[in-house]
Amino acid sequence: YYRAGQDGKQLSRPYNFPLTGIGIKKYYDSDDSWDEGGRTTFKPHPEIRYADVLLWYAEALNEIEDGATYSFPSYNNQGVITVSRNTSQMSEAFRQVRFRAGLPDLSQQVYNDRNSFRRALKRERQIELFLESARYFDLRRWKDAGGSENEEGKPLMGLDVSKTSVEEGENGNQRQAFYDNKKAIPMKKVFMQKMYLWPIPQSEMDKNKNLVQNPGW
Protein backbone atom coordinates (compact mmCIF):
# COMPACT_ATOMS: atom_id res chain seq x y z
CA TYR A 1 0.00 0.00 0.00
CA TYR A 2 2.85 2.41 -0.61
CA ARG A 3 2.98 4.68 -3.65
CA ALA A 4 5.19 2.77 -6.06
CA GLY A 5 5.78 2.62 -9.80
CA GLN A 6 7.65 4.92 -12.14
CA ASP A 7 6.95 8.59 -12.84
CA GLY A 8 4.77 8.90 -9.77
CA LYS A 9 2.28 6.26 -10.93
CA GLN A 10 0.45 4.81 -7.94
CA LEU A 11 -0.22 1.12 -7.52
CA SER A 12 -3.22 1.97 -5.35
CA ARG A 13 -5.98 4.24 -6.48
CA PRO A 14 -6.00 7.40 -4.32
CA TYR A 15 -9.55 6.74 -3.15
CA ASN A 16 -8.89 3.10 -2.24
CA PHE A 17 -5.64 2.82 -0.32
CA PRO A 18 -5.82 3.06 3.51
CA LEU A 19 -4.52 6.31 5.00
CA THR A 20 -2.46 4.38 7.55
CA GLY A 21 -0.87 2.13 4.91
CA ILE A 22 -2.04 -0.85 6.95
CA GLY A 23 -4.32 -3.34 5.20
CA ILE A 24 -6.62 -5.72 7.04
CA LYS A 25 -7.30 -9.30 5.91
CA LYS A 26 -9.71 -10.36 8.64
CA TYR A 27 -12.94 -11.62 7.04
CA TYR A 28 -11.08 -11.66 3.73
CA ASP A 29 -11.69 -14.47 1.24
CA SER A 30 -9.33 -15.35 -1.60
CA ASP A 31 -12.27 -15.08 -4.02
CA ASP A 32 -13.08 -11.52 -2.98
CA SER A 33 -12.24 -9.09 -5.79
CA TRP A 34 -12.71 -5.34 -6.07
CA ASP A 35 -11.42 -4.95 -9.61
CA GLU A 36 -12.98 -8.05 -11.17
CA GLY A 37 -16.69 -7.37 -10.92
CA GLY A 38 -16.59 -5.93 -7.42
CA ARG A 39 -17.77 -9.18 -5.89
CA THR A 40 -17.37 -10.51 -2.37
CA THR A 41 -18.16 -13.99 -1.14
CA PHE A 42 -20.89 -14.63 1.40
CA LYS A 43 -19.58 -14.82 4.95
CA PRO A 44 -21.76 -15.81 7.91
CA HIS A 45 -21.45 -13.20 10.64
CA PRO A 46 -21.65 -14.46 14.24
CA GLU A 47 -23.71 -12.18 16.47
CA ILE A 48 -22.04 -13.55 19.61
CA ARG A 49 -18.76 -15.46 19.67
CA TYR A 50 -17.94 -17.94 22.40
CA ALA A 51 -14.59 -16.19 22.93
CA ASP A 52 -16.53 -13.02 23.75
CA VAL A 53 -18.69 -14.91 26.27
CA LEU A 54 -15.59 -16.34 27.96
CA LEU A 55 -14.00 -12.91 28.23
CA TRP A 56 -17.24 -11.42 29.59
CA TYR A 57 -17.34 -14.09 32.26
CA ALA A 58 -13.72 -13.64 33.32
CA GLU A 59 -14.16 -9.86 33.44
CA ALA A 60 -17.35 -10.10 35.48
CA LEU A 61 -15.72 -12.38 38.05
CA ASN A 62 -12.75 -10.03 38.32
CA GLU A 63 -15.01 -7.11 39.21
CA ILE A 64 -16.71 -8.90 42.13
CA GLU A 65 -15.53 -7.47 45.43
CA ASP A 66 -13.25 -9.65 47.52
CA GLY A 67 -15.26 -11.84 49.89
CA ALA A 68 -18.58 -11.15 48.11
CA THR A 69 -20.70 -14.06 46.90
CA TYR A 70 -23.80 -13.97 44.73
CA SER A 71 -26.35 -16.75 44.15
CA PHE A 72 -29.08 -16.94 41.53
CA PRO A 73 -31.24 -19.64 39.89
CA SER A 74 -29.77 -21.59 36.99
CA TYR A 75 -31.16 -20.96 33.51
CA ASN A 76 -33.50 -23.99 33.80
CA ASN A 77 -34.46 -23.36 37.44
CA GLN A 78 -33.06 -26.75 38.38
CA GLY A 79 -30.44 -25.45 40.76
CA VAL A 80 -28.58 -22.43 42.14
CA ILE A 81 -25.42 -20.89 40.71
CA THR A 82 -23.00 -19.19 43.11
CA VAL A 83 -20.27 -16.87 41.89
CA SER A 84 -17.42 -14.98 43.53
CA ARG A 85 -14.01 -13.66 42.48
CA ASN A 86 -12.58 -17.12 41.92
CA THR A 87 -9.23 -16.98 40.13
CA SER A 88 -9.40 -20.62 39.02
CA GLN A 89 -12.73 -19.97 37.27
CA MET A 90 -11.33 -16.78 35.74
CA SER A 91 -8.38 -18.74 34.38
CA GLU A 92 -10.61 -21.54 33.10
CA ALA A 93 -12.48 -19.05 30.93
CA PHE A 94 -9.64 -16.71 29.98
CA ARG A 95 -7.06 -19.32 29.02
CA GLN A 96 -9.39 -20.98 26.48
CA VAL A 97 -9.15 -17.88 24.30
CA ARG A 98 -5.36 -17.81 24.52
CA PHE A 99 -4.79 -21.56 24.11
CA ARG A 100 -6.63 -21.51 20.79
CA ALA A 101 -3.95 -19.13 19.52
CA GLY A 102 -1.13 -21.18 21.04
CA LEU A 103 -0.49 -18.68 23.84
CA PRO A 104 0.23 -19.59 27.47
CA ASP A 105 -2.08 -18.76 30.36
CA LEU A 106 -1.42 -15.74 32.56
CA SER A 107 0.55 -16.18 35.76
CA GLN A 108 -1.26 -16.72 39.04
CA GLN A 109 0.21 -13.41 40.20
CA VAL A 110 -1.73 -11.58 37.48
CA TYR A 111 -4.96 -13.38 38.38
CA ASN A 112 -4.51 -12.54 42.05
CA ASP A 113 -4.20 -8.81 41.38
CA ARG A 114 -7.47 -7.24 40.21
CA ASN A 115 -5.85 -4.32 38.36
CA SER A 116 -3.24 -6.48 36.63
CA PHE A 117 -5.87 -8.87 35.34
CA ARG A 118 -8.09 -5.99 34.23
CA ARG A 119 -5.22 -4.62 32.11
CA ALA A 120 -4.53 -8.07 30.64
CA LEU A 121 -8.19 -8.62 29.84
CA LYS A 122 -8.56 -5.25 28.12
CA ARG A 123 -5.56 -6.05 25.95
CA GLU A 124 -6.92 -9.51 25.15
CA ARG A 125 -10.28 -8.10 24.07
CA GLN A 126 -8.54 -5.53 21.86
CA ILE A 127 -6.69 -8.31 20.03
CA GLU A 128 -9.29 -11.08 19.99
CA LEU A 129 -12.23 -8.91 18.92
CA PHE A 130 -10.32 -6.70 16.49
CA LEU A 131 -12.65 -5.25 13.82
CA GLU A 132 -15.70 -6.92 15.36
CA SER A 133 -17.36 -3.68 16.55
CA ALA A 134 -16.50 -4.31 20.21
CA ARG A 135 -13.74 -1.75 20.77
CA TYR A 136 -16.01 1.28 20.42
CA PHE A 137 -18.29 0.06 23.20
CA ASP A 138 -15.49 -1.34 25.38
CA LEU A 139 -13.71 2.02 25.52
CA ARG A 140 -16.89 3.74 26.57
CA ARG A 141 -18.07 1.28 29.20
CA TRP A 142 -14.57 1.26 30.71
CA LYS A 143 -14.43 5.09 30.48
CA ASP A 144 -11.09 4.66 28.69
CA ALA A 145 -11.84 6.80 25.64
CA GLY A 146 -11.01 10.33 26.82
CA GLY A 147 -7.78 11.96 27.98
CA SER A 148 -4.39 12.39 26.34
CA GLU A 149 -3.15 9.05 27.70
CA ASN A 150 -6.11 7.08 26.34
CA GLU A 151 -6.78 5.80 22.88
CA GLU A 152 -9.09 8.55 21.61
CA GLY A 153 -6.77 11.24 22.92
CA LYS A 154 -3.75 10.06 20.94
CA PRO A 155 -3.03 10.77 17.26
CA LEU A 156 -3.81 8.10 14.68
CA MET A 157 -0.51 6.49 13.71
CA GLY A 158 0.41 4.74 10.48
CA LEU A 159 3.12 4.10 7.91
CA ASP A 160 4.40 6.63 5.41
CA VAL A 161 2.25 6.07 2.31
CA SER A 162 3.90 9.04 0.57
CA LYS A 163 7.09 7.11 -0.22
CA THR A 164 7.67 6.69 -3.95
CA SER A 165 10.26 4.95 -6.09
CA VAL A 166 10.97 8.31 -7.73
CA GLU A 167 12.00 9.82 -4.40
CA GLU A 168 14.00 6.83 -3.24
CA GLY A 169 15.49 5.91 -6.59
CA GLU A 170 15.19 2.21 -5.87
CA ASN A 171 12.06 0.21 -5.16
CA GLY A 172 13.63 -1.91 -2.43
CA ASN A 173 14.73 1.14 -0.45
CA GLN A 174 11.29 2.64 -0.80
CA ARG A 175 9.59 -0.48 0.48
CA GLN A 176 11.81 -0.55 3.57
CA ALA A 177 11.31 3.17 4.15
CA PHE A 178 7.57 2.58 4.07
CA TYR A 179 7.81 0.15 6.99
CA ASP A 180 10.44 2.07 8.94
CA ASN A 181 8.80 5.49 8.99
CA LYS A 182 5.84 5.62 11.34
CA LYS A 183 4.02 8.93 11.40
CA ALA A 184 0.88 10.62 12.67
CA ILE A 185 -1.94 10.53 10.12
CA PRO A 186 -3.58 13.91 9.36
CA MET A 187 -7.03 12.81 10.45
CA LYS A 188 -8.82 14.89 13.04
CA LYS A 189 -9.97 12.95 16.10
CA VAL A 190 -12.43 14.47 18.53
CA PHE A 191 -13.66 13.01 21.80
CA MET A 192 -15.54 14.91 24.47
CA GLN A 193 -16.86 13.73 27.81
CA LYS A 194 -20.44 13.92 26.58
CA MET A 195 -19.67 11.26 23.94
CA TYR A 196 -19.78 8.51 26.57
CA LEU A 197 -23.55 8.79 26.15
CA TRP A 198 -25.54 9.39 22.98
CA PRO A 199 -28.03 12.25 22.80
CA ILE A 200 -31.71 11.47 23.19
CA PRO A 201 -33.40 12.35 19.87
CA GLN A 202 -35.30 15.61 19.96
CA SER A 203 -38.37 13.81 18.64
CA GLU A 204 -38.39 11.66 21.80
CA MET A 205 -37.85 14.70 24.00
CA ASP A 206 -40.88 16.34 22.37
CA LYS A 207 -43.05 13.29 23.05
CA ASN A 208 -42.20 13.14 26.74
CA LYS A 209 -41.60 16.43 28.55
CA ASN A 210 -40.31 14.51 31.60
CA LEU A 211 -37.26 13.29 29.74
CA VAL A 212 -33.94 14.94 30.64
CA GLN A 213 -31.30 15.21 27.94
CA ASN A 214 -27.99 13.43 28.54
CA PRO A 215 -25.24 15.70 29.92
CA GLY A 216 -23.56 17.95 27.38
CA TRP A 217 -26.11 17.54 24.60
Side-chain angles (χ1 to χ4, degrees):
Y1 287 125
Y2 60 95
R3 293 175 58 213
Q6 298 298 320
D7 301 323
K9 181 180 179 182
Q10 296 184 17
L11 288 180
S12 266
R13 299 171 182 172
Y15 51 84
N16 279 344
F17 76 88
L19 293 177
T20 61
I22 301 171
I24 307 301
K25 294 187 73 173
K26 194 171 189 176
Y27 299 127
Y28 168 84
D29 189 278
S30 58
D31 289 334
D32 290 343
S33 173
W34 177 264
D35 290 326
E36 298 176 14
R39 65 178 182 273
T40 57
T41 57
F42 174 76
K43 306 173 186 68
H45 178 77
E47 293 297 331
I48 299 177
R49 286 214 290 119
Y50 186 49
D52 203 0
V53 175
L54 291 170
L55 293 174
W56 286 337
Y57 183 64
E59 181 180 0
L61 292 182
N62 186 55
E63 297 302 327
I64 297 177
E65 295 181 3
D66 293 332
T69 300
Y70 298 92
S71 299
F72 48 88
S74 62
Y75 74 95
N76 58 3
N77 289 319
Q78 298 300 309
V80 175
I81 296 175
T82 302
V83 296
S84 61
R85 192 182 185 281
N86 186 310
T87 58
S88 62
Q89 292 183 7
M90 290 161 54
S91 172
E92 183 179 354
F94 190 79
R95 70 188 181 213
Q96 291 184 59
V97 180
R98 293 177 63 84
F99 284 2
R100 194 181 80 258
L103 299 173
D105 194 8
L106 302 176
S107 68
Q108 188 60 44
Q109 183 179 3
V110 173
Y111 282 110
N112 290 340
D113 184 79
R114 190 189 310 275
N115 292 328
S116 294
F117 181 74
R118 187 184 293 125
R119 285 192 296 270
L121 181 132
K122 288 180 177 182
R123 177 64 173 164
E124 199 72 25
R125 286 188 62 83
Q126 183 180 18
I127 297 170
E128 176 66 27
L129 303 173
F130 180 60
L131 287 183
E132 296 186 34
S133 301
R135 187 68 177 168
Y136 176 89
F137 298 100
D138 280 350
L139 288 176
R140 280 152 182 77
R141 70 184 177 87
W142 291 330
K143 297 296 186 293
D144 283 353
S148 60
E149 295 303 314
N150 291 319
E151 191 165 311
E152 293 299 315
K154 296 178 180 178
L156 182 66
M157 302 299 294
L159 304 172
D160 193 351
V161 298
S162 66
K163 292 298 179 182
T164 68
S165 56
V166 174
E167 294 171 352
E168 299 296 331
E170 187 175 331
N171 192 55
N173 292 340
Q174 172 195 271
R175 181 185 294 270
Q176 191 58 46
F178 168 74
Y179 289 109
D180 290 343
N181 291 275
K182 296 179 181 179
K183 59 186 295 186
I185 306 302
M187 178 183 289
K188 187 176 182 180
K189 295 175 63 178
V190 176
F191 184 85
M192 294 175 281
Q193 192 72 16
K194 68 179 184 179
M195 292 180 180
Y196 279 120
L197 296 174
W198 288 346
I200 300 174
Q202 187 60 46
S203 60
E204 297 301 317
M205 299 286 292
D206 294 339
K207 294 173 185 175
N208 187 347
K209 299 301 182 182
N210 293 320
L211 285 176
V212 178
Q213 184 58 270
N214 282 327
W217 295 100

